[in-house]
Amino acid sequence: KAGVTQTPRYLIKTRGQQVTLSCSPISGHRSVSWYQQTPGQGLQFLFEYFSETQRNKGNFPGRFSGRQFSNSRSEMNVSTLELGDSALYLCASSRAGTNTGANVLTFGAGSRLTVL
Amino acid sequence: AQSVAQPEDQVNVAEGNPLTVKCTYSVSGNPYLFWYVQYPNRGLQFLLKYITGDNLVKGSYGFEAEFNKSQTSFHLKKPSALVSDSALYFCAVRDKRNNDMRFGAGTRLTVKP
């Protein structure tokens, strides 16, 4: 079956612009989580969605937002981009109800954002 | 507070030698523990997890990890390294009480022929 699909894979933006990233989870997975990966900080948790509701949120400014649709696809948006937002943004889906317990996360290949 | 530490940014081993990638954590209770691997230009892939029971967990590609409660460690091991094992390895911890999941900063493993 298809894995977690993230689009676009690569994109370049300039400071002040906004960006929207998309994530299609594995069929049947209802939980979608987003992470930011940078060389210095490793993986930082952004937020998790389940049944169109945000269940958990990491420590990121309000410029970072997301949503989930009824088909479990998710988008995240970053407004007023800053240079420091350059990173690999990873989406992960989980089979069970939420990003909980011993559930294994299945990651997409990521969207690499470069802010100039 | 919950945190995951991977004390080594880089681990170098020769092919055929055993490898160890270290992970320690600080969280109350008995958390769930995971190892993930990331190959270049790819997302993270699940290797293994510890839930409960036997302290030695076996996973994919010949990897195993040993849970040590007294030392709050979950080191990843493999008896004989392959060049193809070269990748970035992440340890992750999930607190059962609040389901908060944290990843370590990652350890880059390089296996030389």
Side-chain angles (χ1 to χ4, degrees):
Chain A
K1 59 183 177 181
V4 177
T5 303
Q6 292 188 245
T7 57
R9 288 293 311 279
Y10 303 91
L11 65 167
I12 299 173
K13 295 285 187 178
T14 57
R15 282 182 299 174
Q17 287 187 311
Q18 73 164 11
V19 66
T20 299
L21 309 178
S22 178
C23 173
S24 294
I26 290 175
S27 179
H29 286 196
R30 298 171 63 191
S31 170
V32 174
S33 299
W34 289 89
Y35 292 85
Q36 181 194 64
Q37 183 180 7
T38 57
Q41 299 294 323
L43 263 72
Q44 301 292 315
F45 173 70
L46 282 156
F47 26 65
E48 183 216 351
Y49 287 87
F50 172 68
S51 291
E52 303 179 62
T53 301
Q54 186 181 90
R55 297 186 65 92
N56 284 302
K57 188 176 190 303
N59 188 27
F60 277 81
R63 300 185 296 106
F64 292 81
S65 63
R67 59 177 175 169
Q68 186 180 35
F69 302 95
S70 58
N71 63 357
S72 294
R73 190 177 71 86
S74 177
E75 289 181 348
M76 67 163 284
N77 184 79
V78 187
S79 62
T80 319
L81 285 167
E82 300 176 359
L83 296 179
D85 296 333
S86 295
L88 180 66
Y89 290 88
L90 293 167
C91 165
S93 72
S94 176
R95 173 164 48 189
T98 61
N99 183 1
T100 62
N103 299 329
V104 172
L105 298 179
T106 302
F107 285 82
S111 293
R112 184 166 296 281
L113 170 65
T114 301
V115 182
L116 302 177
Chain B
Q2 173 181 333
S3 69
V4 184
Q6 292 183 241
E8 301 158 317
D9 293 335
Q10 175 89 32
V11 170
N12 298 314
V13 298
E15 187 174 31
N17 284 359
L19 69 87
T20 299
V21 183
K22 297 179 181 178
C23 173
T24 60
Y25 63 92
S26 59
V27 61
S28 301
N30 298 314
Y32 296 117
L33 301 163
F34 304 80
W35 276 101
Y36 286 81
V37 60
Q38 185 179 35
Y39 297 101
N41 299 314
R42 303 283 295 276
L44 276 69
Q45 298 177 27
F46 169 74
L47 272 180
L48 50 79
K49 65 181 176 183
Y50 173 81
I51 303 174
T52 186
D54 193 353
N55 290 342
L56 186 64
V57 179
K58 294 189 181 296
S60 307
Y61 312 120
F63 283 93
E64 57 190 26
E66 185 172 11
F67 171 63
N68 187 317
K69 185 174 183 178
S70 63
Q71 297 185 4
T72 61
S73 66
F74 189 56
H75 299 334
L76 181 70
K77 300 180 180 183
K78 186 173 183 180
S80 179
L82 300 172
V83 173
S84 57
D85 292 331
S86 299
L88 190 56
Y89 290 81
F90 290 93
C91 178
V93 176
R94 189 190 299 284
D95 190 334
K96 293 180 182 178
R97 299 170 304 167
N98 57 20
N99 295 315
D100 189 20
M101 185 158 182
R102 296 292 181 93
F103 284 81
T107 298
R108 184 165 299 283
L109 172 68
T110 300
V111 181
K112 298 182 179 179

